[in-house]
PDB file of all heavy atoms in Angstrom:
ATOM      1  N   ILE A 106      -2.602  16.357  -3.766  1.00  0.00           N
ATOM      2  CA  ILE A 106      -2.966  15.785  -2.472  1.00  0.00           C
ATOM      3  C   ILE A 106      -1.802  16.016  -1.508  1.00  0.00           C
ATOM      4  O   ILE A 106      -0.644  16.122  -1.932  1.00  0.00           O
ATOM      5  CB  ILE A 106      -3.272  14.266  -2.570  1.00  0.00           C
ATOM      6  CG1 ILE A 106      -2.045  13.490  -3.045  1.00  0.00           C
ATOM      7  CG2 ILE A 106      -4.453  14.020  -3.489  1.00  0.00           C
ATOM      8  CD1 ILE A 106      -2.199  11.995  -2.939  1.00  0.00           C
ATOM      9  N   LYS A 108       1.125  15.381   1.111  1.00  0.00           N
ATOM     10  CA  LYS A 108       2.035  14.319   1.545  1.00  0.00           C
ATOM     11  C   LYS A 108       2.129  14.365   3.069  1.00  0.00           C
ATOM     12  O   LYS A 108       1.788  15.387   3.676  1.00  0.00           O
ATOM     13  CB  LYS A 108       3.433  14.561   0.970  1.00  0.00           C
ATOM     14  CG  LYS A 108       3.567  14.244  -0.506  1.00  0.00           C
ATOM     15  CD  LYS A 108       5.042  14.281  -0.901  1.00  0.00           C
ATOM     16  CE  LYS A 108       5.200  14.717  -2.341  1.00  0.00           C
ATOM     17  NZ  LYS A 108       6.621  14.900  -2.694  1.00  0.00           N
ATOM     18  N   ASP A 110       4.526  14.881   4.941  1.00  0.00           N
ATOM     19  CA  ASP A 110       5.382  15.955   5.454  1.00  0.00           C
ATOM     20  C   ASP A 110       4.776  17.348   5.258  1.00  0.00           C
ATOM     21  O   ASP A 110       5.392  18.354   5.593  1.00  0.00           O
ATOM     22  CB  ASP A 110       6.783  15.855   4.830  1.00  0.00           C
ATOM     23  CG  ASP A 110       6.756  16.189   3.341  1.00  0.00           C
ATOM     24  OD1 ASP A 110       5.708  16.652   2.844  1.00  0.00           O
ATOM     25  OD2 ASP A 110       7.784  15.985   2.674  1.00  0.00           O
ATOM     26  N   SER A 112       3.969  18.785   2.335  1.00  0.00           N
ATOM     27  CA  SER A 112       4.070  19.283   0.964  1.00  0.00           C
ATOM     28  C   SER A 112       3.011  18.623   0.079  1.00  0.00           C
ATOM     29  O   SER A 112       2.216  17.817   0.550  1.00  0.00           O
ATOM     30  CB  SER A 112       5.477  19.015   0.418  1.00  0.00           C
ATOM     31  OG  SER A 112       5.749  17.633   0.432  1.00  0.00           O
ATOM     32  N   ARG A 114       1.636  16.439  -3.311  1.00  0.00           N
ATOM     33  CA  ARG A 114       1.914  15.439  -4.347  1.00  0.00           C
ATOM     34  C   ARG A 114       1.034  15.741  -5.532  1.00  0.00           C
ATOM     35  O   ARG A 114      -0.186  15.868  -5.388  1.00  0.00           O
ATOM     36  CB  ARG A 114       1.659  14.036  -3.809  1.00  0.00           C
ATOM     37  CG  ARG A 114       1.364  12.993  -4.886  1.00  0.00           C
ATOM     38  CD  ARG A 114       1.538  11.584  -4.376  1.00  0.00           C
ATOM     39  NE  ARG A 114       2.937  11.204  -4.367  1.00  0.00           N
ATOM     40  CZ  ARG A 114       3.653  10.912  -3.316  1.00  0.00           C
ATOM     41  NH1 ARG A 114       3.123  10.940  -2.127  1.00  0.00           N
ATOM     42  NH2 ARG A 114       4.908  10.598  -3.432  1.00  0.00           N
ATOM     43  N   LEU A 116      -0.779  14.581  -8.479  1.00  0.00           N
ATOM     44  CA  LEU A 116      -1.266  13.398  -9.181  1.00  0.00           C
ATOM     45  C   LEU A 116      -1.586  13.745 -10.626  1.00  0.00           C
ATOM     46  O   LEU A 116      -1.903  14.886 -10.947  1.00  0.00           O
ATOM     47  CB  LEU A 116      -2.542  12.873  -8.514  1.00  0.00           C
ATOM     48  CG  LEU A 116      -2.459  12.404  -7.077  1.00  0.00           C
ATOM     49  CD1 LEU A 116      -3.821  11.907  -6.611  1.00  0.00           C
ATOM     50  CD2 LEU A 116      -1.407  11.313  -6.920  1.00  0.00           C
ATOM     51  N   PHE A 149       6.559  -1.878  -6.009  1.00  0.00           N
ATOM     52  CA  PHE A 149       5.617  -2.004  -7.121  1.00  0.00           C
ATOM     53  C   PHE A 149       5.666  -3.369  -7.796  1.00  0.00           C
ATOM     54  O   PHE A 149       5.194  -3.527  -8.921  1.00  0.00           O
ATOM     55  CB  PHE A 149       5.872  -0.943  -8.207  1.00  0.00           C
ATOM     56  CG  PHE A 149       5.972   0.458  -7.705  1.00  0.00           C
ATOM     57  CD1 PHE A 149       6.984   1.301  -8.164  1.00  0.00           C
ATOM     58  CD2 PHE A 149       5.059   0.959  -6.792  1.00  0.00           C
ATOM     59  CE1 PHE A 149       7.078   2.610  -7.712  1.00  0.00           C
ATOM     60  CE2 PHE A 149       5.152   2.267  -6.337  1.00  0.00           C
ATOM     61  CZ  PHE A 149       6.164   3.094  -6.798  1.00  0.00           C
ATOM     62  N   ASP A 177      17.527   9.471  -1.815  1.00  0.00           N
ATOM     63  CA  ASP A 177      16.142   9.880  -2.056  1.00  0.00           C
ATOM     64  C   ASP A 177      16.072  10.735  -3.318  1.00  0.00           C
ATOM     65  O   ASP A 177      16.814  11.698  -3.465  1.00  0.00           O
ATOM     66  CB  ASP A 177      15.618  10.683  -0.859  1.00  0.00           C
ATOM     67  CG  ASP A 177      14.142  10.982  -1.001  1.00  0.00           C
ATOM     68  OD1 ASP A 177      13.335  10.153  -0.570  1.00  0.00           O
ATOM     69  OD2 ASP A 177      13.803  12.042  -1.563  1.00  0.00           O
ATOM     70  N   LEU A 178      15.189  10.356  -4.222  1.00  0.00           N
ATOM     71  CA  LEU A 178      15.043  11.121  -5.451  1.00  0.00           C
ATOM     72  C   LEU A 178      13.927  12.149  -5.310  1.00  0.00           C
ATOM     73  O   LEU A 178      12.887  11.881  -4.703  1.00  0.00           O
ATOM     74  CB  LEU A 178      14.737  10.198  -6.634  1.00  0.00           C
ATOM     75  CG  LEU A 178      15.777   9.113  -6.916  1.00  0.00           C
ATOM     76  CD1 LEU A 178      15.453   8.402  -8.217  1.00  0.00           C
ATOM     77  CD2 LEU A 178      17.180   9.691  -6.953  1.00  0.00           C
ATOM     78  N   LYS A 179      14.173  13.299  -5.878  1.00  0.00           N
ATOM     79  CA  LYS A 179      13.205  14.386  -5.785  1.00  0.00           C
ATOM     80  C   LYS A 179      12.106  14.209  -6.835  1.00  0.00           C
ATOM     81  O   LYS A 179      12.403  14.059  -8.011  1.00  0.00           O
ATOM     82  CB  LYS A 179      13.922  15.726  -5.974  1.00  0.00           C
ATOM     83  CG  LYS A 179      13.066  16.927  -5.620  1.00  0.00           C
ATOM     84  CD  LYS A 179      13.777  18.232  -5.929  1.00  0.00           C
ATOM     85  CE  LYS A 179      14.756  18.633  -4.816  1.00  0.00           C
ATOM     86  NZ  LYS A 179      15.458  19.885  -5.133  1.00  0.00           N
ATOM     87  N   SER A 180      10.859  14.215  -6.412  1.00  0.00           N
ATOM     88  CA  SER A 180       9.694  14.017  -7.304  1.00  0.00           C
ATOM     89  C   SER A 180      10.001  13.006  -8.400  1.00  0.00           C
ATOM     90  O   SER A 180       9.937  13.323  -9.581  1.00  0.00           O
ATOM     91  CB  SER A 180       9.277  15.326  -7.966  1.00  0.00           C
ATOM     92  OG  SER A 180       9.199  16.337  -7.022  1.00  0.00           O
ATOM     93  N   TYR A 181      10.286  11.812  -7.982  1.00  0.00           N
ATOM     94  CA  TYR A 181      10.850  10.834  -8.917  1.00  0.00           C
ATOM     95  C   TYR A 181      10.055  10.660 -10.208  1.00  0.00           C
ATOM     96  O   TYR A 181      10.602  10.851 -11.312  1.00  0.00           O
ATOM     97  CB  TYR A 181      11.036   9.486  -8.214  1.00  0.00           C
ATOM     98  CG  TYR A 181      11.408   8.391  -9.158  1.00  0.00           C
ATOM     99  CD1 TYR A 181      12.425   8.564 -10.096  1.00  0.00           C
ATOM    100  CD2 TYR A 181      10.745   7.165  -9.139  1.00  0.00           C
ATOM    101  CE1 TYR A 181      12.773   7.555 -10.983  1.00  0.00           C
ATOM    102  CE2 TYR A 181      11.079   6.155 -10.016  1.00  0.00           C
ATOM    103  CZ  TYR A 181      12.087   6.363 -10.941  1.00  0.00           C
ATOM    104  OH  TYR A 181      12.416   5.365 -11.826  1.00  0.00           O
ATOM    105  N   PHE A 182       8.785  10.309 -10.110  1.00  0.00           N
ATOM    106  CA  PHE A 182       7.988  10.053 -11.318  1.00  0.00           C
ATOM    107  C   PHE A 182       7.986  11.264 -12.261  1.00  0.00           C
ATOM    108  O   PHE A 182       8.011  11.115 -13.473  1.00  0.00           O
ATOM    109  CB  PHE A 182       6.539   9.698 -10.948  1.00  0.00           C
ATOM    110  CG  PHE A 182       6.327   8.265 -10.558  1.00  0.00           C
ATOM    111  CD1 PHE A 182       7.340   7.525  -9.957  1.00  0.00           C
ATOM    112  CD2 PHE A 182       5.105   7.636 -10.787  1.00  0.00           C
ATOM    113  CE1 PHE A 182       7.151   6.200  -9.585  1.00  0.00           C
ATOM    114  CE2 PHE A 182       4.909   6.307 -10.423  1.00  0.00           C
ATOM    115  CZ  PHE A 182       5.923   5.600  -9.818  1.00  0.00           C
ATOM    116  N   ASP A 183       7.944  12.439 -11.658  1.00  0.00           N
ATOM    117  CA  ASP A 183       7.845  13.659 -12.459  1.00  0.00           C
ATOM    118  C   ASP A 183       9.123  13.965 -13.226  1.00  0.00           C
ATOM    119  O   ASP A 183       9.122  14.780 -14.145  1.00  0.00           O
ATOM    120  CB  ASP A 183       7.509  14.850 -11.545  1.00  0.00           C
ATOM    121  CG  ASP A 183       6.194  14.643 -10.819  1.00  0.00           C
ATOM    122  OD1 ASP A 183       5.352  13.898 -11.340  1.00  0.00           O
ATOM    123  OD2 ASP A 183       6.026  15.221  -9.732  1.00  0.00           O
ATOM    124  N   PRO A 229       3.060   9.991 -15.288  1.00  0.00           N
ATOM    125  CA  PRO A 229       2.062  10.511 -14.338  1.00  0.00           C
ATOM    126  C   PRO A 229       1.905   9.668 -13.061  1.00  0.00           C
ATOM    127  O   PRO A 229       1.843   8.439 -13.128  1.00  0.00           O
ATOM    128  CB  PRO A 229       0.768  10.504 -15.146  1.00  0.00           C
ATOM    129  CG  PRO A 229       1.020   9.656 -16.332  1.00  0.00           C
ATOM    130  CD  PRO A 229       2.479   9.711 -16.597  1.00  0.00           C
ATOM    131  N   GLN A 230       1.848  10.344 -11.944  1.00  0.00           N
ATOM    132  CA  GLN A 230       1.560   9.679 -10.673  1.00  0.00           C
ATOM    133  C   GLN A 230       0.056   9.416 -10.654  1.00  0.00           C
ATOM    134  O   GLN A 230      -0.720  10.295 -10.322  1.00  0.00           O
ATOM    135  CB  GLN A 230       1.945  10.555  -9.490  1.00  0.00           C
ATOM    136  CG  GLN A 230       3.398  10.955  -9.455  1.00  0.00           C
ATOM    137  CD  GLN A 230       3.773  11.630  -8.153  1.00  0.00           C
ATOM    138  OE1 GLN A 230       3.289  11.257  -7.097  1.00  0.00           O
ATOM    139  NE2 GLN A 230       4.639  12.618  -8.211  1.00  0.00           N
ATOM    140  N   GLY A 231      -0.297   8.228 -11.033  1.00  0.00           N
ATOM    141  CA  GLY A 231      -1.707   7.891 -11.152  1.00  0.00           C
ATOM    142  C   GLY A 231      -1.964   7.029 -12.375  1.00  0.00           C
ATOM    143  O   GLY A 231      -3.033   6.461 -12.529  1.00  0.00           O
ATOM    144  N   PRO A 236       4.225   2.901 -12.372  1.00  0.00           N
ATOM    145  CA  PRO A 236       5.105   2.174 -11.458  1.00  0.00           C
ATOM    146  C   PRO A 236       6.018   1.180 -12.179  1.00  0.00           C
ATOM    147  O   PRO A 236       7.200   1.067 -11.847  1.00  0.00           O
ATOM    148  CB  PRO A 236       4.130   1.458 -10.522  1.00  0.00           C
ATOM    149  CG  PRO A 236       2.918   2.308 -10.533  1.00  0.00           C
ATOM    150  CD  PRO A 236       2.814   2.814 -11.943  1.00  0.00           C
ATOM    151  N   ALA A 261      10.955   1.311  -4.974  1.00  0.00           N
ATOM    152  CA  ALA A 261      10.624   2.483  -5.805  1.00  0.00           C
ATOM    153  C   ALA A 261      11.845   3.393  -5.902  1.00  0.00           C
ATOM    154  O   ALA A 261      12.892   2.931  -6.338  1.00  0.00           O
ATOM    155  CB  ALA A 261       9.405   3.197  -5.258  1.00  0.00           C
ATOM    156  N   ASP A 262      11.728   4.634  -5.488  1.00  0.00           N
ATOM    157  CA  ASP A 262      12.896   5.518  -5.586  1.00  0.00           C
ATOM    158  C   ASP A 262      13.690   5.551  -4.292  1.00  0.00           C
ATOM    159  O   ASP A 262      14.623   6.321  -4.142  1.00  0.00           O
ATOM    160  CB  ASP A 262      12.444   6.935  -5.960  1.00  0.00           C
ATOM    161  CG  ASP A 262      11.734   7.630  -4.810  1.00  0.00           C
ATOM    162  OD1 ASP A 262      11.169   6.940  -3.960  1.00  0.00           O
ATOM    163  OD2 ASP A 262      11.750   8.875  -4.774  1.00  0.00           O
ATOM    164  N   ASP A 263      13.292   4.743  -3.360  1.00  0.00           N
ATOM    165  CA  ASP A 263      13.965   4.695  -2.070  1.00  0.00           C
ATOM    166  C   ASP A 263      15.049   3.630  -2.118  1.00  0.00           C
ATOM    167  O   ASP A 263      14.762   2.434  -2.006  1.00  0.00           O
ATOM    168  CB  ASP A 263      12.936   4.356  -0.988  1.00  0.00           C
ATOM    169  CG  ASP A 263      13.301   4.965   0.341  1.00  0.00           C
ATOM    170  OD1 ASP A 263      14.484   5.312   0.529  1.00  0.00           O
ATOM    171  OD2 ASP A 263      12.416   5.079   1.194  1.00  0.00           O
ATOM    172  N   ASN A 294      17.753  14.139  -3.988  1.00  0.00           N
ATOM    173  CA  ASN A 294      17.367  15.076  -2.944  1.00  0.00           C
ATOM    174  C   ASN A 294      18.527  15.274  -1.965  1.00  0.00           C
ATOM    175  O   ASN A 294      18.774  14.443  -1.095  1.00  0.00           O
ATOM    176  CB  ASN A 294      16.147  14.533  -2.213  1.00  0.00           C
ATOM    177  CG  ASN A 294      15.296  15.639  -1.651  1.00  0.00           C
ATOM    178  OD1 ASN A 294      15.819  16.673  -1.240  1.00  0.00           O
ATOM    179  ND2 ASN A 294      13.999  15.430  -1.651  1.00  0.00           N
ATOM    180  N   LYS A 297      17.725  15.291   1.984  1.00  0.00           N
ATOM    181  CA  LYS A 297      17.237  14.036   2.554  1.00  0.00           C
ATOM    182  C   LYS A 297      18.234  12.894   2.423  1.00  0.00           C
ATOM    183  O   LYS A 297      18.258  11.985   3.255  1.00  0.00           O
ATOM    184  CB  LYS A 297      15.918  13.625   1.870  1.00  0.00           C
ATOM    185  CG  LYS A 297      14.715  14.458   2.284  1.00  0.00           C
ATOM    186  CD  LYS A 297      13.437  13.838   1.742  1.00  0.00           C
ATOM    187  CE  LYS A 297      12.249  14.769   1.890  1.00  0.00           C
ATOM    188  NZ  LYS A 297      11.056  14.242   1.211  1.00  0.00           N
TER     189      LYS A 297
ATOM    190  P    DT B  11       7.218   4.929   2.554  1.00  0.00           P
ATOM    191  OP1  DT B  11       8.566   5.262   3.030  1.00  0.00           O
ATOM    192  OP2  DT B  11       6.033   5.711   2.957  1.00  0.00           O
ATOM    193  O5'  DT B  11       7.219   4.876   0.955  1.00  0.00           O
ATOM    194  C5'  DT B  11       8.256   4.183   0.266  1.00  0.00           C
ATOM    195  C4'  DT B  11       7.954   4.201  -1.221  1.00  0.00           C
ATOM    196  O4'  DT B  11       6.711   3.496  -1.461  1.00  0.00           O
ATOM    197  C3'  DT B  11       7.716   5.575  -1.807  1.00  0.00           C
ATOM    198  O3'  DT B  11       8.960   6.182  -2.131  1.00  0.00           O
ATOM    199  C2'  DT B  11       6.878   5.271  -3.027  1.00  0.00           C
ATOM    200  C1'  DT B  11       6.064   4.053  -2.585  1.00  0.00           C
ATOM    201  N1   DT B  11       4.663   4.389  -2.220  1.00  0.00           N
ATOM    202  C2   DT B  11       3.687   4.204  -3.172  1.00  0.00           C
ATOM    203  O2   DT B  11       3.925   3.783  -4.284  1.00  0.00           O
ATOM    204  N3   DT B  11       2.423   4.550  -2.765  1.00  0.00           N
ATOM    205  C4   DT B  11       2.058   5.039  -1.533  1.00  0.00           C
ATOM    206  O4   DT B  11       0.893   5.301  -1.290  1.00  0.00           O
ATOM    207  C5   DT B  11       3.133   5.211  -0.586  1.00  0.00           C
ATOM    208  C7   DT B  11       2.825   5.744   0.789  1.00  0.00           C
ATOM    209  C6   DT B  11       4.367   4.878  -0.969  1.00  0.00           C
TER     210       DT B  11
ATOM    211  P     C C   3      -9.465   8.275  -5.966  1.00  0.00           P
ATOM    212  OP1   C C   3     -10.763   8.607  -6.554  1.00  0.00           O
ATOM    213  OP2   C C   3      -9.325   7.120  -5.063  1.00  0.00           O
ATOM    214  O5'   C C   3      -8.384   8.065  -7.109  1.00  0.00           O
ATOM    215  C5'   C C   3      -8.675   8.389  -8.457  1.00  0.00           C
ATOM    216  C4'   C C   3      -7.403   8.278  -9.235  1.00  0.00           C
ATOM    217  O4'   C C   3      -6.448   9.232  -8.708  1.00  0.00           O
ATOM    218  C3'   C C   3      -6.682   6.947  -9.075  1.00  0.00           C
ATOM    219  O3'   C C   3      -7.228   5.965  -9.936  1.00  0.00           O
ATOM    220  C2'   C C   3      -5.259   7.327  -9.431  1.00  0.00           C
ATOM    221  O2'   C C   3      -5.130   7.506 -10.823  1.00  0.00           O
ATOM    222  C1'   C C   3      -5.147   8.675  -8.742  1.00  0.00           C
ATOM    223  N1    C C   3      -4.631   8.562  -7.360  1.00  0.00           N
ATOM    224  C2    C C   3      -3.260   8.272  -7.174  1.00  0.00           C
ATOM    225  O2    C C   3      -2.549   8.108  -8.180  1.00  0.00           O
ATOM    226  N3    C C   3      -2.766   8.167  -5.926  1.00  0.00           N
ATOM    227  C4    C C   3      -3.560   8.339  -4.872  1.00  0.00           C
ATOM    228  N4    C C   3      -3.022   8.233  -3.653  1.00  0.00           N
ATOM    229  C5    C C   3      -4.951   8.632  -5.030  1.00  0.00           C
ATOM    230  C6    C C   3      -5.435   8.738  -6.268  1.00  0.00           C
ATOM    231  P     A C   4      -7.168   4.422  -9.526  1.00  0.00           P
ATOM    232  OP1   A C   4      -7.877   3.658 -10.564  1.00  0.00           O
ATOM    233  OP2   A C   4      -7.519   4.255  -8.096  1.00  0.00           O
ATOM    234  O5'   A C   4      -5.613   4.134  -9.683  1.00  0.00           O
ATOM    235  C5'   A C   4      -5.028   4.159 -10.984  1.00  0.00           C
ATOM    236  C4'   A C   4      -3.545   3.924 -10.881  1.00  0.00           C
ATOM    237  O4'   A C   4      -2.935   4.932 -10.057  1.00  0.00           O
ATOM    238  C3'   A C   4      -3.155   2.627 -10.207  1.00  0.00           C
ATOM    239  O3'   A C   4      -3.263   1.533 -11.094  1.00  0.00           O
ATOM    240  C2'   A C   4      -1.718   2.920  -9.783  1.00  0.00           C
ATOM    241  O2'   A C   4      -0.848   2.846 -10.894  1.00  0.00           O
ATOM    242  C1'   A C   4      -1.830   4.379  -9.360  1.00  0.00           C
ATOM    243  N9    A C   4      -2.060   4.542  -7.922  1.00  0.00           N
ATOM    244  C8    A C   4      -3.228   4.845  -7.272  1.00  0.00           C
ATOM    245  N7    A C   4      -3.094   4.943  -5.969  1.00  0.00           N
ATOM    246  C5    A C   4      -1.746   4.693  -5.744  1.00  0.00           C
ATOM    247  C6    A C   4      -0.965   4.661  -4.567  1.00  0.00           C
ATOM    248  N6    A C   4      -1.450   4.877  -3.342  1.00  0.00           N
ATOM    249  N1    A C   4       0.356   4.371  -4.694  1.00  0.00           N
ATOM    250  C2    A C   4       0.849   4.145  -5.926  1.00  0.00           C
ATOM    251  N3    A C   4       0.215   4.161  -7.097  1.00  0.00           N
ATOM    252  C4    A C   4      -1.090   4.446  -6.937  1.00  0.00           C
TER     253        A C   4
HETATM  254  N1  DTP D 501      -0.175   8.043  -3.624  1.00  0.00           N
HETATM  255  C1  DTP D 501       0.572   7.838  -4.736  1.00  0.00           C
HETATM  256  N2  DTP D 501      -0.028   7.721  -5.929  1.00  0.00           N
HETATM  257  C2  DTP D 501       0.677   7.512  -7.036  1.00  0.00           C
HETATM  258  N3  DTP D 501       2.006   7.402  -7.073  1.00  0.00           N
HETATM  259  C3  DTP D 501       2.664   7.514  -5.911  1.00  0.00           C
HETATM  260  C4  DTP D 501       1.995   7.734  -4.686  1.00  0.00           C
HETATM  261  N4  DTP D 501       2.907   7.802  -3.708  1.00  0.00           N
HETATM  262  C5  DTP D 501       4.091   7.636  -4.291  1.00  0.00           C
HETATM  263  N5  DTP D 501       3.980   7.460  -5.614  1.00  0.00           N
HETATM  264  C6  DTP D 501       5.056   7.255  -6.588  1.00  0.00           C
HETATM  265  C7  DTP D 501       5.328   8.557  -7.305  1.00  0.00           C
HETATM  266  C8  DTP D 501       6.540   9.103  -6.609  1.00  0.00           C
HETATM  267  O1  DTP D 501       7.323   9.929  -7.463  1.00  0.00           O
HETATM  268  C9  DTP D 501       7.270   7.857  -6.197  1.00  0.00           C
HETATM  269  C10 DTP D 501       8.163   8.057  -4.997  1.00  0.00           C
HETATM  270  O2  DTP D 501       7.399   8.485  -3.890  1.00  0.00           O
HETATM  271  P1  DTP D 501       7.933   9.610  -2.899  1.00  0.00           P
HETATM  272  O3  DTP D 501       9.393   9.478  -2.698  1.00  0.00           O
HETATM  273  O4  DTP D 501       7.083   9.531  -1.678  1.00  0.00           O
HETATM  274  O5  DTP D 501       7.582  10.996  -3.596  1.00  0.00           O
HETATM  275  P2  DTP D 501       8.400  11.824  -4.679  1.00  0.00           P
HETATM  276  O6  DTP D 501       9.681  11.163  -5.042  1.00  0.00           O
HETATM  277  O7  DTP D 501       7.486  12.097  -5.827  1.00  0.00           O
HETATM  278  O8  DTP D 501       8.653  13.218  -3.965  1.00  0.00           O
HETATM  279  P3  DTP D 501       9.808  13.618  -2.915  1.00  0.00           P
HETATM  280  O9  DTP D 501      10.590  14.698  -3.592  1.00  0.00           O
HETATM  281  O10 DTP D 501       9.069  14.113  -1.706  1.00  0.00           O
HETATM  282  O11 DTP D 501      10.604  12.406  -2.603  1.00  0.00           O
HETATM  283  O12 DTP D 501       6.253   6.897  -5.924  1.00  0.00           O
END
Side-chain angles (χ1 to χ4, degrees):
Chain A
I106 62 170
K108 285 190 211 174
D110 69 9
S112 60
R114 157 162 280 116
L116 298 181
F149 309 135
D177 187 88
L178 301 188
K179 192 185 278 179
S180 312
Y181 171 48
F182 278 30
D183 300 334
Q230 301 189 37
D262 72 334
D263 210 340
N294 209 326
K297 286 189 191 173

